[in-house]
Amino acid sequence: MVLGNYKSVVAARSTDNEILKGAQDGGIVTQLFAYALEEGIIDGAIVAGPSDEPWKPEPVIATTKAELLAARGTKYTLSPNIALLKEATRSYGLDRIGIVGTPCQMQAVRKAQLYPIGMRDVPDKIALAIGIFCMENFPYQSLEAMVEDHCNVKLESVKKLDIGKGKFWAYTERGAVAQIPLKVTHKYEQPGCHVCLDYVSNLADVSTGSVGAPDGWSTVFVRTQNGENAWGKAIAAGCFETKPIEEVKPGLDLVTKLATEKITKNQKTLEARATFGVGKGLRNPYI
Amino acid sequence: MDVEKKVEKTKEEMPVVEKITVGHVHLSGCTGCLVSFADNYEGLFKILDDYADLVYALTLADVRHIPEMDVALVEGSVCLQDKSSVEEIKEAREKAKVVVALGGCAAYGNITRFCRGGQWNQPQMESYVPIAELIDVDLYIPGCAPTPQQIRNVCIMAYLLLKGNDEQKELAGAYLKPLMDLAQRGDEACGCDLMYDVINQGLCMGCGSCAAACPVRAISMEYGKPNIDRDLCIKCGACYAQCPRSFFNFDVMNEFEGISELIKGVME
């Protein structure tokens, strides 16, 4: 159950070299949205686009492949994608919304669908919600400290950021690689992440992430009927190369291990919150 | 889904007598909540055909006095200096099994929080309170306006709760619980709730739901966290209620696909 409900899971990557060039892993999100846009499964997608500041994402509604390409790559800081969810149905006039987000943002999408309190017309217009795996996130100023102070690299010169193999990595445009142990980054984590009980976006239509798959590939869970429809069509159209997850290393075992670790650790945090004070506790959103 | 089939079956066999009775009680509100209910379009007719009789609604029907009813949808706050309003809210509580505060005014006072009297021709009418100041309220539907889809969901779930089988009652009870918890939590709301009960509690994760939910664009996301323009805020309670870190009931949310299908199914 730490991996949520799903219909199928594979290792996959896009067959489009242009997408793969700037993709974080297998280019799953960019490719699936590009295909869904082209096929009219969605008429726009809320993605983490570029902003004025380096590596600070700005939620945007992409209606072209070029805009999707501009949003490739993981930014390890907050992109409040849900802030555009209602607006997508208003001034943008979308009827079939695509949205990508972290597990907590997928939770926000489903809450908006089941309990639309300030989200008129949103529930029926979510066409494809793609969730990414997420262990934790960082405020922008944390990212600055991690990259500029700890990695000693200017944010402007960074080509790619990555968390993997127990380290935080910064790759520069000119080919330098800096890395720091993850334990250095822990104090910079967003505190709200420490009560999160979802690693692999259990509530998405399709969820994807790097863990479990080889470099350049992604692990993909297909979870809902909506997800299966879009994924099935995209596969039939030749958008993706896939491998059974059992045949790749490190495979689902590692995903399960990390998911269990995250949930166990954060459940402990939740328990500690209940008795945080003297005869008093902090609020638990889940009860 | 089994539940869906059972709902269909119940409806086929007992089309009219098994309906619940619903009333719309209009206090110091703007009728926007009722318009929102009507904005379910054919969905409203479906509800009235199969699940609920509208036994009282001054805007729509010629019943003059509050009758007995299963569910009272109460819109607007109460003016303490208006005797008949005070009588009406008390009567609604006596006559209704379930009292719903429909919309920001009934639940939290909303824009009437800013009332201070001094206007012709009732300058003494200066004190307005959300309905829970005077009566016990079972359930909140916050928002200004509340969404048609949320009102629809509450109507369907209230029907299942009162007329369904055990399984349906359980689902409806689980669905309605957080809205009942909101009613227990209190009747003061503001953008400040995001500070007091989410950010200050170490729970905000910067998703942006609050900014989307705010009807007056008083919330902007700055460096991933909500920044609230409190002079724009009208105190409707939507931001906190929509925030996934105010309540997030996994038992219901994990079933989002089935429940969405169920709702779609019963509305067809």
Side-chain angles (χ1 to χ4, degrees):
Chain A
M1 201 49 213
V2 295
L3 302 182
N5 298 320
Y6 57 90
K7 296 174 189 286
S8 61
V9 51
V10 291
R13 71 174 174 193
S14 166
T15 49
D16 182 334
N17 280 330
E18 193 191 5
I19 288 176
L20 282 179
K21 219 182 318 169
Q24 186 75 11
D25 299 298
I28 306 298
V29 180
T30 309
Q31 173 69 80
L32 192 53
F33 275 152
Y35 174 77
L37 257 183
E38 202 179 291
E39 288 299 304
I41 296 169
I42 59 173
D43 37 35
I46 305 174
V47 296
S51 76
D52 299 340
E53 292 178 74
W55 293 93
K56 180 173 177 290
E58 180 73 29
V60 295
I61 294 175
T63 53
T64 63
K65 187 176 173 188
E67 287 168 305
L68 289 173
L69 288 171
R72 283 171 302 177
T74 302
K75 294 88 172 174
Y76 287 95
T77 183
L78 317 172
S79 179
N81 285 7
I82 311 299
L84 278 179
L85 193 55
K86 187 163 72 177
E87 197 57 31
T89 70
R90 301 296 197 278
S91 55
Y92 291 86
L94 304 194
D95 286 322
R96 293 175 294 264
I97 303 171
I99 181 163
V100 61
T102 50
C104 56
Q105 294 179 329
M106 293 299 107
Q107 293 178 346
V109 169
R110 300 317 178 190
K111 179 169 176 178
Q113 286 186 280
L114 287 181
Y115 296 95
I117 288 160
M119 297 273 200
R120 181 172 168 162
D121 297 344
V122 168
D124 305 329
K125 297 192 174 181
I126 307 294
L128 186 59
I130 306 182
I132 53 179
F133 301 177
C134 178
M135 191 56 91
E136 72 276 307
N137 206 345
F138 302 91
Y140 185 69
Q141 293 79 358
S142 290
L143 189 66
E144 258 182 330
M146 284 150 54
V147 174
E148 304 215 329
D149 296 349
H150 292 278
C151 291
N152 204 16
V153 165
K154 277 192 88 68
L155 264 174
E156 288 87 343
S157 66
V158 169
K159 187 174 75 177
K160 181 173 180 169
L161 293 168
D162 196 20
I163 290 178
K165 302 174 182 78
K167 293 190 168 68
F168 176 81
W169 305 78
Y171 301 85
T172 72
E173 296 282 0
R174 299 184 65 180
V177 184
Q179 39 116 328
I180 51 171
L182 269 190
K183 73 166 192 256
V184 172
T185 69
H186 289 331
K187 72 168 180 176
Y188 295 113
E189 290 165 4
Q190 169 179 239
C193 295
H194 297 153
V195 298
C196 175
L197 303 177
D198 187 346
Y199 176 51
V200 287
S201 280
N202 295 354
L203 298 186
D205 290 316
V206 173
S207 48
T208 183
S210 74
V211 173
D215 286 349
W217 289 70
S218 301
T219 302
V220 180
F221 291 92
V222 180
R223 300 183 179 279
T224 65
Q225 196 53 52
N226 268 355
E228 197 170 50
N229 293 347
W231 183 255
K233 280 188 186 170
I235 293 285
C239 292
F240 294 106
E241 206 182 327
T242 66
K243 286 181 188 171
I245 195 75
E246 301 77 27
E247 287 174 20
V248 302
K249 295 275 176 196
L252 223 46
D253 286 350
L254 183 63
V255 187
T256 310
K257 179 173 165 264
L258 292 182
T260 309
E261 276 174 21
K262 172 175 177 178
I263 293 164
T264 311
K265 180 171 105 320
N266 289 349
Q267 222 135 27
K268 277 195 190 121
T269 306
L270 276 164
E271 277 161 32
R273 286 174 61 90
T275 54
F276 199 85
V278 180
K280 290 175 177 222
L282 297 170
R283 204 169 64 75
N284 182 345
Y286 305 129
I287 50 171
Chain B
M1 192 175 181
D2 278 345
V3 182
E4 182 183 333
K5 281 188 210 120
K6 276 164 197 156
V7 172
E8 288 292 318
K9 208 170 142 213
T10 316
K11 180 194 68 184
E12 294 289 318
E13 283 169 3
M14 294 161 280
V16 179
V17 287
E18 279 299 304
K19 284 202 240 180
I20 60 172
T21 54
V22 174
H24 174 256
V25 179
H26 198 305
L27 298 172
S28 294
C30 72
T31 332
C33 296
L34 183 64
V35 170
S36 209
F37 191 18
D39 279 352
N40 279 294
Y41 303 111
E42 63 271 32
L44 175 65
F45 298 132
K46 179 69 181 174
I47 289 169
L48 297 181
D49 279 346
D50 294 355
Y51 308 112
D53 275 325
L54 190 65
V55 293
Y56 178 74
L58 290 178
T59 311
L60 300 170
D62 194 23
V63 177
R64 307 292 177 92
H65 300 287
I66 298 179
E68 299 279 336
M69 52 195 158
D70 291 323
V71 179
L73 300 170
V74 183
E75 163 175 0
S77 59
V78 189
C79 177
L80 298 183
Q81 291 84 20
D82 178 358
K83 221 171 151 184
S84 68
S85 281
V86 174
E87 288 310 312
E88 258 176 68
I89 190 59
K90 289 181 182 172
E91 202 181 347
R93 179 67 275 182
E94 280 164 24
K95 299 276 181 69
K97 285 199 191 91
V98 178
V99 173
V100 176
L102 176 60
C105 291
Y108 297 116
N110 204 14
I111 197 75
T112 67
R113 284 288 189 194
F114 298 88
C115 291
R116 48 185 289 283
Q119 285 179 306
W120 294 110
N121 61 353
Q122 300 288 351
Q124 81 289 9
M125 289 192 173
E126 67 174 27
S127 317
Y128 290 76
V129 293
I131 62 174
E133 293 280 322
L134 302 182
I135 62 163
D136 288 328
V137 180
D138 300 297
L139 194 145
Y140 274 11
I141 304 180
C144 180
T147 67
Q149 294 82 13
Q150 182 62 77
I151 305 172
R152 173 199 69 193
N153 292 359
V154 167
C155 285
I156 294 170
M157 293 298 174
Y159 171 81
L160 293 179
L161 190 69
L162 297 172
K163 304 289 180 187
N165 59 31
D166 289 350
E167 196 187 342
Q168 293 165 339
K169 279 186 176 136
E170 197 186 330
L171 170 71
Y175 177 87
L176 294 171
K177 184 174 179 294
L179 301 176
M180 298 167 82
D181 290 344
L182 278 182
Q184 291 304 310
R185 175 175 167 267
D187 60 7
E188 290 174 18
C190 180
C192 298
D193 293 347
L194 298 173
M195 297 190 250
Y196 301 144
D197 283 351
V198 185
I199 303 168
N200 295 170
Q201 283 280 320
L203 293 171
C204 178
M205 41 62 183
C207 70
S209 291
C210 50
C214 179
V216 295
R217 299 178 196 261
I219 302 170
S220 54
M221 299 300 287
E222 285 173 24
Y223 288 96
K225 298 286 154 163
N227 189 42
I228 302 133
D229 187 338
R230 284 166 294 149
D231 277 351
L232 269 184
C233 171
I234 57 168
K235 299 184 183 285
C236 70
C239 54
Y240 178 74
Q242 192 69 73
C243 169
R245 291 287 169 83
S246 61
F247 68 84
F248 196 84
N249 44 347
F250 279 107
D251 55 340
V252 172
M253 301 296 186
N254 284 337
E255 301 301 322
F256 74 90
E257 203 180 5
I259 295 175
S260 301
E261 285 299 310
L262 163 73
I263 291 170
K264 214 170 127 195
V266 300
M267 294 308 289
E268 267 164 11

